[in-house]
Amino acid sequence: MSMLDTKRAWPGDTLTRVPYWVYEDEANYRDELRRIFEGPTWNYVCLEGDVAEPGAYRTTFVGEMPVIVTRDEAGALHCFENRCAHRGALIALDDDGRVKSSFQCIYHAWTYDLTGTLTGIAFEKGANGRGGMPAAFCKADHGPRKLRTTTLCGLVFATLSDATPPIEQYLGAEIVRRIQRVLGKPVEVLGRFTQTLPNNWKLYVENVKDTYHASLLHAFFGTFRITRLTQGGGIAVSPDGGHHASYTIDRADDRTSTAYRDQGIRSEHENYRLADPSLLDGVDEIGDGVRLQILTVFPAFVLQQIQNSLAVRQVVPKGPGSMELHWTYLGFADDAPEMRRRRLKQANLVGPAGYVSMEDGCVGGFVQRGAAAAADELSVVNMGGEGTESQETRATEASVRGFWKAYRRLMGY
Amino acid sequence: MTPSPAPAAAVPSAGSVESLLPRVWQLNADYARAIDDDRLEAWPDFFAAECVYKVTSADNHRRGLQAGLMYADSQGMLRDRIAALRQANIYERQAYRHVVGMPALVGPVGTDPAGVVRAEVPFLVVRIMRDGRMDLFATGRYLDALVTEAGALRFRERIVVCDSSRIDTLLAIPL
C-alpha cells in the first residue's frame, strides 16, 4: 500500500476545525466519490421538465459518474450509468435529446431500453454461423448501474444506494418546506451555463453554506442592502447537518444601521448608487417577505432565490482540485412579460458574472492555493459557536459545521 | 446567415455598404481597444442610449433561452456594470486581448425603417492573469444592431454569443 492509499485520521472530534488535506488528498477524493456521491445520498440530476416526454433524456453526472436520466413510455423516470456494459463507452453523447425507445452504443451497437436494461447485442449469434457470444452469456446479468430516482417540486434526484431514505425524510420537514416555497409551480428554463472552478468541490459547497461571508466578500450585497448580517433572517440546518437554508427578511431598522461602517468594512460605500436601479426592482412574488433564500441539499445541490432571480446549481467534482458548477436559470412558466424581464435583469446578480457571486468563482481557488502547503494545518469554523443548530442570525458558521457533521459520518471520520 | 448586400441608396443616413464597412471596422476596433486598454468607463459610450447588451452561449442562443451571463437593457446598466467592477467586485487582476474578425453586414442592410444595420463579427479573447498565465478565454460572435446617433455609429444591440457555455472561474470584464 502506497502512502497515497493510506487513510488519514481526522484531527480531533470538534466540528470547528477542518484539516486542509481534505481539499487536496487524492485518496480521500476517490473515497468521497464512493462513500458520498455513490453512497446513501440524493443527488440532483435534472428538472422533471428536462425529460417531459417519453423517450426524452438528459445526461449529467453523479459525482464523476456519467448518468442518463430518461422518461419511459409509461411516464416513469429512470436514471442509469452512461456506460456501455460491453466496453465501457458512453451510451449517450449529447446533453439531452429524444430516442424512440432505445439507446444504442456507437462502439459495437449494443442496445439499451429506456430503463437502462441491456436488450440487444449486435451479432449475438455470430455471423454466417461463426463467432458471436457464448450461449451462456446472459444479458440480464450485464448492464450499466441503475440508480433510484425521486422527485420533489419538479427536481429529480438519484441515488445508487438502497439505504437512502425517502427524500422527505432525507431532507427533513423544514428544508422540504423551503424548497416548496420557491418551487410552488411549474418552472421554465431561462438559460444554462457551466462555470469551472479551480478548487475542490467542498470549498464551493462550504462557501454556499457560509452566511458569514456573503455581505463581507460580496460588497455589492452590502452596499445596496440586499442582504446584510444586520438584516433580519437566519439559517435552518437539517438535523443531520447536511442540508441548510439561509434567508433574509427585510427589516426596517437596518436602513439606518451603521454596523458595517463602524467596523470599517469594505461593504459600505455611501456614495455608490446605481445609474439604473431597475436591476433591484424586485417584488415579493412568494408573499412571505423573504428577499433571499439560499438552500443546499447534501452533497452537491443549491437552490437559489435572490429576490426574483431563481436558479439551481449542481456541483460536479472533477478531481481533488477542480469542479464544475452547472447553473440552470429558472423562471415560472406563467411569468408575465414584466416578471420575465425582471428575472433577466436580476440574473446579473448571479452566475459566473454575477454582482454577488463572481467572487465565489475565485475565492475557492484562493483557499486551494493559499493552503497548498498546509495539508496538516487546520482551518477555523468557529463563528456562532461549535454546534450545527438552526440560528436566527447569519453571523454564524453553523451550516458549514453541519456539512462536516454529515460528511464525517459518511466518510467514517 | 448569408450577407445580403442591399441597394446602397436605401441605407438611411449610413451611406453605402462600401462606406459603412470601414465605420463598422473602426467601431469594433475602438470597442476592443477600450476594453483591452482598461478604459472601461468608455465602454457604455459605444452603445446607443436605448440599447441591449447580453452575453450568452451558442447553445442558449440556439435554444432560444433568454437569460444571459450579463444582461443590460439600458446604457445606465452598462455604467453600473463598470461601477461595480471598479468599486464592489473582487477578482484577481486580469486583462483581455480581443482579436476581432471581419464584420459581415447581414441582411437586410438599408431596408430597415429604423435605420438599423445588422452585423455579425467573430471574436477571440485571450485572458491574461496577473501572474502571467494566458488562456483562450472566449471565442464567439457579436450579433449587432447598429444605429447612427449624433452622427456616430452605436450599438443598439450587441448580443455576445460565446461558442462555449463554459466560463473559467469568472467573467468580470465585459466581452
Side-chain angles (χ1 to χ4, degrees), chain B:
Chain B
M1 282 201 269
T2 321
S4 55
V11 181
S13 73
S16 66
V17 172
E18 291 71 23
S19 70
L20 188 61
L21 258 178
R23 297 173 66 200
V24 178
W25 294 338
Q26 189 67 48
L27 176 68
N28 276 285
D30 292 344
Y31 176 98
R33 287 180 66 230
I35 294 174
D36 296 356
D37 294 350
D38 193 29
R39 289 182 285 108
L40 298 177
E41 282 71 13
W43 175 66
D45 297 332
F46 293 101
F47 292 81
E50 279 181 42
C51 62
V52 171
Y53 172 79
K54 182 165 90 169
V55 180
T56 185
S57 71
D59 195 50
N60 284 304
H61 186 71
R62 182 172 49 80
R63 292 170 188 258
L65 301 179
Q66 300 169 286
L69 292 167
M70 294 185 186
Y71 176 88
D73 66 357
S74 70
Q75 211 182 42
M77 285 187 78
L78 299 175
R79 296 197 188 287
D80 289 335
R81 177 58 73 171
I82 302 307
L85 286 184
R86 297 294 198 208
Q87 300 184 55
N89 289 124
I90 303 298
Y91 51 97
E92 270 182 290
R93 191 154 50 78
Q94 55 188 264
Y96 290 166
R97 178 64 59 201
H98 277 73
V99 179
V100 178
M102 296 296 280
L105 299 185
V106 293
V109 175
T111 55
D112 188 297
V116 174
V117 172
R118 295 206 170 263
E120 181 175 325
V121 191
F123 68 86
L124 179 155
V125 173
V126 175
R127 184 171 63 182
I128 306 97
M129 302 301 293
R130 68 174 174 91
D131 65 357
R133 180 177 149 178
M134 294 190 291
D135 290 300
L136 184 55
F137 181 58
T139 67
R141 55 199 174 121
Y142 295 120
L143 303 184
D144 297 332
L146 299 159
V147 291
T148 303
E149 239 181 44
L153 212 51
R154 294 284 175 255
F155 297 109
R156 164 72 59 82
E157 188 174 278
R158 168 152 267 199
I159 308 298
V160 186
V161 181
C162 296
D163 293 323
S164 168
S165 288
R166 186 180 294 254
I167 294 289
D168 176 63
T169 308
L170 55 78
L171 172 68
I173 304 167
L175 290 168

Side-chain angles (χ1 to χ4, degrees), chain A residues 232-297:
Chain A
I235 58 164
V237 184
S238 65
D240 72 349
H243 326 294
H244 102 291
S246 62
Y247 53 94
T248 305
I249 301 168
D250 214 7
R251 215 171 73 177
D253 61 353
D254 178 60
R255 300 276 177 206
T256 53
S257 167
T258 59
Y260 279 75
R261 204 177 326 142
D262 296 346
Q263 297 192 45
I265 292 169
R266 188 171 54 80
S267 295
E268 193 85 28
H269 291 281
E270 272 304 304
N271 299 320
Y272 191 7
R273 295 288 180 269
L274 288 177
D276 186 344
S278 68
L279 174 75
L280 298 176
D281 177 27
V283 296
D284 182 9
E285 61 180 315
I286 298 166
D288 58 4
V290 175
R291 292 168 62 87
L292 178 156
Q293 177 183 286
I294 304 291
L295 180 149
T296 57
V297 172

Side-chain angles (χ1 to χ4, degrees), chain A residues 350-410:
Chain A
V350 302
Y355 286 135
V356 296
S357 71
M358 75 169 76
E359 290 88 358
D360 297 327
C362 61
V363 77
F366 296 167
V367 176
Q368 199 84 30
R369 283 149 60 189
D376 295 316
E377 301 290 324
L378 305 173
S379 74
V380 177
V381 191
N382 234 152
M383 283 295 283
E386 301 184 346
T388 65
E389 69 282 3
S390 297
Q391 299 184 2
E392 286 186 8
T393 174
R394 289 167 299 133
T396 174
E397 291 168 319
S399 50
V400 180
R401 288 188 291 275
F403 173 82
W404 292 109
K405 181 178 165 186
Y407 177 88
R408 286 169 59 180
R409 190 184 69 250
L410 285 177

